[in-house]
Amino acid sequence: MIDAARELSRILDPHEVVETALTRAMEMTGAQTGSIMLLDPDTGRLRIEFSRGLPEEVIRDTELGEGEGIAGWVLTTGQPLLVEDLLAKSPAARRHGVRSAVSVPIADDDGTLGVMNVGSRSYPARFTDTHLDTVALLGKQTATALRNARAVEESRAIYFDTLKALAIALETKDPYSRGGTERVLEYADALGHVFDLSNDDRNALRIAALLHDIGMASVGDGITHCDRPLTTIERALLKLHPQIAADILAEAPALRSVVPIVYHHHEWFDGHGYSHGMSGEAIPIGARILAVADAFVAMTSARPYRPAYDVAAALEELHDKAGTQFDPSVVAA
């Protein structure tokens, strides 16, 4: 129980809290089935957020209100419950072979968030009062951990929305780039999902997608809006924008994981890009993803010196430069 409390206190993702709590409850009781049902604040009803050992249709279709079923009784009373010989009492138990169950509130002093259930297929009852007390205590710990994780998640959302507003405000200086930031974010985030990046890496990629061109503000409007070929000096200034952006972001400790993505997003897969001449998989995966998303959005946006590419032409260009400018695996994705 001490290990479970310590583990839950470190978790800052709400879904991971739920998954860890149920896994621990089933380990401590030897249960064969389990579920955590969370309260929908809009409907006041319980739905299964995470489960083990239950059929997909049960997970999808189960919804309970106060007083409905075992979990509904626990929700109404706020009391833990141990039930034996479920086969004689519950059609659902007969279908799933559950003979005894423990159901406890996920609650703290601020109210009830849901209900935790574990089930055993053994009879006479596999569960004891000790199991009931243990899971009930775990339910209280889960409530505290879940509130903390939700607070962190909400803070992150506010933080991200603030950065997004900043990026869009900067974007309004350039009529040709309006709307592009959100499109780069959409494609980069989708690719991050395809590559199964961790939550932290995916969050860093999303922020990098918003702020990767923040250094353009120091380059000058004359260069970014130019409808003629750039001079050598102007091209050199343009190539400085990843360095400038990285330097700005490095000043904020919370954004340090974003810096390598922004700094290297103009590297080429064959080593002929900038800022560092890095190549291949030495380039951070976030930077390789952002390079493709950014290029695709740039090509499919109108510029002073050319009309927008259509999607087919932009994809063809990406494929043509896969292995030279772009990571082939990112282009394929």
Side-chain angles (χ1 to χ4, degrees), residues 52-105:
R52 294 191 186 279
L54 295 180
E56 185 61 38
E57 64 272 14
V58 172
I59 301 167
R60 183 184 63 245
D61 299 336
T62 300
E63 183 179 310
L64 299 173
E66 290 190 359
E68 296 177 3
I70 295 171
W73 185 91
V74 171
L75 175 65
T76 302
T77 64
Q79 298 298 312
L81 183 66
L82 188 155
V83 184
E84 302 178 23
D85 195 16
L86 273 169
L87 287 184
K89 302 173 184 177
S90 166
R94 285 195 292 274
R95 286 197 304 273
H96 309 140
V98 177
R99 302 298 299 261
S100 58
V102 164
S103 185
V104 305

Side-chain angles (χ1 to χ4, degrees), residues 12-290:
L12 300 178
D13 176 75
H15 184 74
E16 191 178 348
V17 167
V18 168
E19 185 174 339
T20 300
L22 183 62
T23 300
R24 286 287 193 164
M26 293 180 68
E27 288 172 352
M28 287 189 281
T29 59
Q32 287 84 47
T33 65
S35 66
I36 286 185
M37 307 182 76
L38 295 182
L39 197 60
D40 185 324
D42 295 326
T43 65
R45 297 178 69 79
L46 294 167
R47 291 192 64 86
I48 295 175
E49 178 71 15
F50 182 72
S51 68
R52 294 191 186 279
L54 295 180
E56 185 61 38
E57 64 272 14
V58 172
I59 301 167
R60 183 184 63 245
D61 299 336
T62 300
E63 183 179 310
L64 299 173
E66 290 190 359
E68 296 177 3
I70 295 171
W73 185 91
V74 171
L75 175 65
T76 302
T77 64
Q79 298 298 312
L81 183 66
L82 188 155
V83 184
E84 302 178 23
D85 195 16
L86 273 169
L87 287 184
K89 302 173 184 177
S90 166
R94 285 195 292 274
R95 286 197 304 273
H96 309 140
V98 177
R99 302 298 299 261
S100 58
V102 164
S103 185
V104 305
I106 300 172
D108 57 14
D109 293 341
D110 293 321
T112 301
L113 299 178
V115 175
M116 182 186 299
N117 311 287
V118 292
S120 170
R121 295 190 174 102
S122 302
Y123 188 80
R126 167 67 180 82
F127 299 131
T128 65
D129 288 338
T130 300
H131 288 123
L132 182 66
D133 293 342
T134 299
V135 180
L137 180 56
L138 186 61
K140 294 177 181 178
Q141 294 170 342
T142 302
T144 300
L146 191 54
R147 285 197 195 278
N148 289 341
R150 284 177 172 177
V152 170
E153 186 175 61
E154 185 175 347
S155 296
R156 284 176 174 166
I158 293 170
Y159 175 61
F160 184 79
D161 287 345
T162 303
L163 294 177
K164 188 173 181 179
L166 169 64
I168 292 172
L170 290 171
E171 193 180 69
T172 60
K173 294 180 65 180
D174 181 0
Y176 289 95
S177 65
R178 287 177 188 169
T181 297
E182 292 193 77
R183 292 177 63 212
V184 173
L185 170 61
E186 178 187 352
Y187 295 131
D189 193 38
L191 287 166
H193 177 70
V194 171
F195 281 87
D196 197 26
L197 299 185
S198 68
N199 287 338
D200 287 345
D201 287 345
R202 195 166 169 190
N203 190 53
L205 175 59
R206 294 174 75 226
I207 294 173
L210 287 178
L211 301 180
H212 66 284
D213 276 343
I214 196 171
M216 285 291 196
S218 300
V219 171
D221 293 343
I223 295 177
T224 56
H225 300 168
C226 197
D227 60 358
R228 57 168 174 76
L230 298 181
T231 67
T232 301
I233 293 174
E234 287 170 338
R235 282 198 299 273
L237 285 172
L238 194 62
K239 287 184 177 182
L240 282 175
H241 83 270
Q243 174 72 62
I244 296 168
D247 288 344
I248 293 170
L249 298 176
E251 294 298 315
L255 297 177
R256 283 180 183 161
S257 61
V258 179
V259 171
I261 302 174
V262 170
Y263 183 70
H264 293 294
H265 79 280
H266 279 293
E267 307 284 6
W268 282 29
F269 197 71
D270 66 1
H272 286 89
Y274 60 93
S275 301
H276 196 68
M278 199 175 278
S279 65
E281 294 187 3
I283 304 168
I285 180 61
R288 285 179 270 146
I289 288 173
L290 181 56

Side-chain angles (χ1 to χ4, degrees), residues 174-177 183 297-309:
D174 181 0
Y176 289 95
S177 65
R183 292 177 63 212
V297 170
M299 285 189 285
T300 53
S301 302
R303 291 291 183 260
Y305 50 87
R306 62 155 176 81
Y309 288 39

